[in-house]
Amino acid sequence: MKIISVVAAKPNFMKIAPFIRAIEEFNYEHKNTLSHILVHTGQHYDIRMSESFFKELSIPEPDINLEIGSGSHAEQLGYTMIAFEKVLLEHKPDWVVVVGDVNATLSCSVTAKRLNVKVCHIEAGLRSGDMSMPEEINRLVTDRISDLLLTPDIISSANLRSEGTPDHKIAFVGNIMIDTLEDNREIAASKTLDNIINNNLLQGSNFRGALPADNSYVVMTLHRPSNVDLEQVFVPLIEFLLNEVTNDFTLIWPIHPRAKKQLKAFGLWERVLGNDSIILLEPVGYREMLRLNMGAKMMLTDSGGLQEECCILGTPCLTLRWNTERPVTLREFGGASVLVGNNIDRIREEYHIAVLQDRKPIRPELWDGKTAERCLQEILKRS
Ligand code: UD1
């Protein structure tokens, strides 16, 4: 049997690493009966956004890199479909495995189905209900046409059923990201904050403040257009950080290229750079982020994956969005995260609550570090 799996952007790498390991283990026991090809579309191409994760997570070099790069969404989708069709025609796989909700998830699943290749979606059934998010459209289209939908939690399975997906296509396997978290947890814990900060200081930063200790810093990540592209949203948020949060804590901010560009566009760059309680970092490695998360007093983020990791690590998390496709991570479901959107009064209120909270790790059902094995078994059952 031949499987092609696809990666494109940073959050995909932690999801594909354990899946590839499951294939390798299967092949070790079954005399290499599975043939596997890894395709990287090249959406994320900077060393710090891509290559470093391959090394750190022991993902083999991609067999094929489509080198799509940046561009408008239509460009990314279109160029990926054209290039991926050629790959499918040449290699004729039995299955295409896509993960998550990035542009390649949509373009590669559609291309595969048009050529009658079976599609398996890992992390299926997530729904934010927010059609202004490109990721929501990617999820909806991919799930509608996939042959096998592997869900991380029972809410996601229920979402699929309520949309009419037949039961035989759905399998609840747990959260594959947590396989990677468990594999890397020990090594991450052994890293020191000082090393992480010194090795990743943003180019051009001449940070002279004191290095923080555990529990005396807040970590922030922001990359969604809905937070960083609009001046009326981004500027008040930065003012809140500069005037309030940084009076209480050091803020460690591994900065996404889009957020950096927008700070400059809105004339905030020099003030953020010059604040000795803000440590701006280049995008950091997987284990470094895990270690930062482990010692953080609080996480401020608009990332989906970090909401999940905060759950397992117990870090109080303010999710800077009005909705989430991962309700299982929310406080009302026992998780560590609370939705605060981008309203400063609401963010402030929840910030003061989170300051008083202790770590409370929780582990949703089947987030046990063994999801990749179950994913592969579900594919094999249907082959
Ligand atoms: C993509 C995913 C998003 C995911 C995020 C993680 C989609 C629709 N979005 O968004 O779901 O949460 O990745 O980061 O697929 N850039 C670089 N270097 C790179 C890659 C991009 O500088 O290696 C710049 C691009 O030039 C662009 C910006 O970063 O200006 C955004 O990149 P893009 O890949 O379009 O989307 P993300 O916002 O990263």
Side-chain angles (χ1 to χ4, degrees):
M1 183 170 71
K2 192 186 271 186
I3 299 175
I4 289 187
S5 49
V6 179
V7 290
K10 209 163 90 170
N12 293 159
F13 307 139
M14 322 32 159
K15 294 170 195 165
I16 218 62
F19 182 69
I20 293 180
R21 201 144 39 252
I23 291 182
E24 287 167 353
E25 278 161 18
F26 180 90
N27 271 341
Y28 183 72
E29 284 164 20
H30 296 85
K31 301 198 170 74
N32 292 321
T33 43
L34 278 182
S35 155
H36 177 247
I37 295 172
L38 178 61
V39 173
H40 189 339
T41 69
Q43 178 175 341
H44 283 179
Y45 45 83
D46 282 354
I47 292 181
R48 281 173 173 274
M49 302 279 274
S50 178
E51 204 179 305
S52 69
F53 288 86
F54 275 72
K55 293 211 174 84
E56 194 175 17
L57 303 178
S58 304
I59 307 171
E61 285 271 303
D63 299 289
I64 299 165
N65 192 323
L66 306 179
E67 295 181 356
I68 301 303
S70 301
S72 71
H73 286 269
E75 283 168 341
Q76 286 186 351
L77 293 170
Y79 291 137
T80 304
M81 289 176 86
I82 293 166
F84 192 60
E85 183 183 50
K86 295 194 177 91
V87 172
L88 293 176
L89 290 172
E90 184 183 342
H91 294 280
K92 302 189 174 25
D94 301 288
W95 283 92
V96 165
V97 173
V98 292
V99 296
D101 53 19
V102 301
N103 285 334
T105 312
L106 180 149
S107 41
C108 294
S109 55
V110 171
T111 312
K113 284 311 293 173
R114 294 303 290 255
L115 292 174
N116 285 321
V117 178
K118 282 183 283 192
V119 172
C120 165
H121 184 203
I122 298 181
E123 202 184 76
L126 272 61
R127 296 289 180 269
S128 67
D130 178 357
M131 291 296 280
S132 69
M133 284 179 75
E135 291 83 0
E136 183 73 355
I137 300 164
N138 294 344
R139 290 179 206 117
L140 280 166
V141 175
T142 302
D143 285 347
R144 186 66 188 86
I145 61 176
S146 289
D147 301 273
L148 174 56
L149 297 123
L150 301 177
T151 66
D153 53 62
I154 51 173
I155 302 175
S156 301
S157 300
N159 288 339
L160 293 171
R161 286 196 188 96
S162 73
E163 289 168 7
T165 309
D167 263 343
H168 71 270
K169 288 190 176 181
I170 306 170
F172 166 40
V173 291
N175 189 338
I176 201 162
M177 286 263 291
I178 307 307
D179 291 23
T180 300
L181 188 152
E182 295 302 343
D183 285 346
N184 288 278
R185 189 175 193 144
E186 225 176 283
I187 309 181
S190 69
K191 291 184 176 286
T192 69
L193 282 182
D194 293 7
N195 271 343
I196 296 174
I197 292 169
N198 287 323
N199 292 341
N200 292 286
L201 266 186
L202 188 78
Q203 257 193 346
S205 151
N206 51 3
F207 173 74
R208 288 183 216 286
L211 292 179
D214 280 345
N215 280 319
S216 71
Y217 64 90
V218 168
V219 177
M220 182 170 80
T221 78
L222 279 180
H223 72 288
R224 304 221 179 255
S226 54
N227 279 326
V228 303
D229 282 1
L230 301 174
E231 192 164 4
Q232 67 272 27
V233 170
F234 199 32
V235 173
L237 179 61
I238 298 298
E239 293 293 350
F240 171 68
L241 299 170
L242 289 168
N243 302 329
E244 300 181 48
V245 176
T246 53
N247 292 335
D248 306 332
F249 296 103
T250 301
L251 177 74
I252 301 184
W253 185 2
I255 193 162
H256 186 277
R258 181 186 287 117
K260 183 169 154 192
K261 189 174 125 206
Q262 293 304 97
L263 278 180
K264 290 182 179 170
F266 299 144
L268 292 162
W269 182 243
E270 296 303 331
R271 283 179 65 204
V272 169
L273 205 60
N275 186 310
D276 272 346
S277 294
I278 299 183
I279 304 180
L280 290 176
L281 301 180
E282 300 284 352
V284 295
Y286 176 76
R287 289 174 186 150
E288 292 171 326
M289 192 62 196
L290 208 54
R291 171 63 184 89
L292 290 177
N293 194 347
M294 285 173 181
K297 181 68 197 161
M298 188 189 312
M299 178 70 65
L300 305 180
T301 190
D302 59 9
S303 143
L306 277 169
Q307 285 171 56
E308 298 176 335
E309 288 161 355
C310 284
C311 241
I312 297 290
L313 300 175
T315 317
C317 172
L318 305 196
T319 299
L320 296 152
R321 292 174 50 188
W322 291 114
N323 51 56
T324 180
E325 59 289 334
R326 293 165 163 90
V328 76
T329 65
L330 293 178
R331 234 191 259 154
E332 58 251 46
F333 288 86
S337 151
V338 59
L339 296 176
V340 293
N342 50 30
N343 174 291
I344 299 302
D345 291 337
R346 170 135 184 77
I347 297 173
R348 180 183 296 114
E349 190 187 330
E350 288 296 341
Y351 165 77
H352 288 293
I353 294 173
V355 166
L356 301 175
Q357 274 175 341
D358 293 325
R359 286 185 168 273
K360 192 171 146 256
I362 69 135
R363 193 175 287 279
E365 193 184 350
L366 293 190
W367 291 26
D368 57 0
K370 297 191 175 74
T371 292
E373 236 173 273
R374 289 189 284 269
C375 290
L376 185 56
Q377 286 308 322
E378 292 295 336
I379 294 175
L380 293 169
K381 268 192 226 166
R382 290 165 174 81
S383 302

